[in-house]
Amino acid sequence: QVQLVESGGGLVQAGGSLRLSCVVSGNIFSINFGGWYRQAPGKQRELVATITSGISTNYADSVKGRFTISRDNAKNTVYLQMNSLKPEDTAVYYCNVRLVRPDLIPGTYWGQGTQVTVSS
């Protein structure tokens, strides 16, 4: 079994910062891809940022220059540093990983989500 546990969400004023963490545990051989998505009320889930095993990163235009995705392979953890937060960043943030299990079977897994609320 693979588990993703997210943390770091909360309530912050506009202009503030939060750091989200996603710890991956269980039967893992390698994590090939990590990403953060978000879903605001009444909206579809959207990509925020991704990072590959080669540490190549990609960001949604709306967060470029404000958010930074990173990973710690030793800790099987993916982070999202969010600075200069805006009210429109308010959403439930979900961690997503694509990994290979010890039996070499790949899989995609989602976290349970963590609420980020930015007040104006």
Side-chain angles (χ1 to χ4, degrees):
Q1 283 285 10
V2 174
Q3 287 188 320
L4 278 64
V5 178
E6 300 150 340
S7 62
L11 173 63
V12 64
Q13 288 189 332
S17 298
L18 287 172
R19 187 194 195 203
L20 305 184
S21 298
C22 174
V23 179
V24 186
S25 62
N27 295 329
I28 304 165
F29 178 72
S30 65
I31 299 176
N32 300 330
F33 171 96
W36 287 95
Y37 294 73
R38 66 187 181 187
Q39 186 166 18
K43 295 187 177 181
Q44 289 189 335
R45 189 173 297 189
E46 63 176 1
L47 173 71
V48 176
T50 63
I51 185 166
T52 68
S53 57
I55 67 172
S56 174
T57 58
N58 181 54
Y59 296 92
D61 288 342
S62 60
V63 306
K64 281 181 181 176
R66 300 187 297 122
F67 290 11
T68 302
I69 189 170
S70 62
R71 57 188 292 171
D72 185 330
N73 293 331
K75 296 181 179 180
N76 286 335
T77 302
V78 181
Y79 302 98
L80 184 68
Q81 177 67 43
M82 306 185 294
N83 299 328
S84 302
L85 282 161
K86 304 175 181 180
E88 51 263 44
D89 294 319
T90 295
V92 178
Y93 284 69
Y94 296 91
C95 177
N96 170 260
V97 296
R98 300 172 195 172
L99 55 81
V100 178
R101 300 182 330 200
D103 55 7
L104 302 184
I105 295 177
T108 299
Y109 299 86
W110 290 90
Q112 80 286 356
T114 185
Q115 177 70 47
V116 171
T117 303
V118 184
S119 63
S120 57

